[in-house]
Amino acid sequence: MPKNIHAGHRLRLRDRFVKEGLDGFSEHEMLELLLTYAIPQRDVNPLAHALINRFGSLSGVLDAGEHELMQVDGVGKNAASLLCLMPALLGAYQKSALGPRPLMTDLTSARTYAQSLYLGVHEERAYMLCLDQSGHVICPVLLYKGSIDRVPFHPRDIVEAALRHHAYAIILIHNHPGGTPRPSKADYDATQLVLEALGVIGIRLLDHLIFAGDELFSLRRSGDLETLPRK
């Protein structure tokens, strides 16, 4: 029957993954395997090739937004949603693997945790990590999401969240989608306001991290955090 035309190929792909993992798979085969779970009863091999050709690589496909994906002929809502889910799910996995209260001992550990918050994110977002006195993460707090132009840090919201979660110190994080991680004047001004507000209640600002893709700028590592004027 028509619905069984491609069943054997799908089963072979899945059995191969179970036996060998993904090491022997090409990028289009990985994508083809994934698409079999969203598009039943259809040969998805041509679609996998079309997506790779359109976005350049498997990572390019998974980084694309839902609207972009659905512009490719043959990609419906279910397939686009599944593809968009993958990076976000990986971020959740990475965050879960670090444990409920990971220790932020240095820039590397802070970067690893922060990156898990941005996998699958296509908009600008600002977070604060609330830390206890030993440097363990109490929780991440989403401060803002939306515009790709700028992230407004509201010191009052940050102070309220820090007090609510009994934070000893915090780390600010935000991203510059499609840009560079270099801080803007607005980023420096906002950081200074946060420093002043936290200083009043005795909570430390350990760093302000800015992501742009795989690039990272740390205001503490650059020395800029220490040179911001305090009142």
Side-chain angles (χ1 to χ4, degrees), residues 188-189 191-192 195 219 223-230:
Y188 283 116
D189 291 344
T191 305
Q192 181 180 344
L195 267 171
L219 267 70
D224 292 347
L225 194 63
E226 285 73 20
T227 60
L228 288 173
R230 271 76 160 176

Side-chain angles (χ1 to χ4, degrees), residues 11-226:
L11 184 58
R12 285 191 295 273
L13 269 179
R14 294 173 187 177
D15 285 347
R16 182 178 157 198
F17 166 67
V18 170
K19 293 175 183 176
E20 304 173 11
L22 290 175
D23 288 344
F25 278 63
S26 66
E27 290 199 344
H28 85 267
E29 287 175 323
M30 295 179 199
L31 189 55
E32 182 183 0
L33 175 61
L34 185 58
L35 288 170
T36 63
Y37 293 96
I39 304 175
Q41 304 173 20
R42 195 176 109 202
D43 181 10
V44 293
N45 180 277
L47 182 55
H49 280 285
L51 284 164
I52 295 289
N53 290 339
R54 167 68 176 80
F55 296 104
S57 64
L58 177 64
S59 63
V61 173
L62 298 181
D63 283 338
E66 185 177 280
H67 177 70
E68 292 178 290
L69 291 167
M70 291 180 68
Q71 290 179 343
V72 176
D73 188 34
V75 178
K77 184 76 172 178
N78 285 347
S81 296
L82 179 63
L83 293 174
C84 289
L85 172 65
M86 291 300 103
L89 187 61
L90 178 57
Y93 167 80
Q94 291 184 347
K95 183 170 173 287
S96 176
L98 293 171
R101 292 172 68 90
L103 181 61
M104 300 292 102
T105 56
D106 51 29
L107 181 59
T108 299
S109 56
R111 176 178 187 152
T112 300
Y113 187 88
Q115 282 180 320
S116 72
L117 300 174
Y118 285 98
L119 281 171
V121 171
H122 303 287
E123 63 195 355
E124 193 156 359
R125 290 190 181 184
Y127 288 92
M128 60 182 280
L129 299 186
C130 294
L131 308 178
D132 65 17
Q133 192 166 359
S134 299
H136 291 91
V137 175
I138 299 170
C139 68
V141 177
L142 178 61
L143 299 171
Y144 175 85
K145 65 179 180 177
S147 169
I148 63 170
D149 297 322
R150 65 187 182 90
V151 167
F153 288 115
H154 299 294
R156 178 178 176 179
D157 294 339
I158 291 173
V159 166
E160 288 178 352
L163 291 173
R164 183 168 65 252
H165 294 289
H166 306 288
Y168 174 81
I170 72 165
I171 296 173
L172 288 177
I173 312 164
H174 82 277
N175 62 330
H176 289 170
T180 72
R182 174 64 59 175
S184 65
K185 183 180 184 303
D187 292 331
Y188 283 116
D189 291 344
T191 305
Q192 181 180 344
L193 290 174
V194 172
L195 267 171
E196 293 170 357
L198 291 175
V200 172
I201 57 173
I203 294 177
R204 300 177 62 199
L205 175 61
L206 298 183
D207 207 342
H208 183 173
L209 306 178
I210 303 174
F211 284 94
D214 292 330
E215 296 183 85
L216 171 69
F217 189 95
S218 160
L219 267 70
R220 177 167 295 281
R221 183 176 61 182
S222 70
D224 292 347
L225 194 63
E226 285 73 20

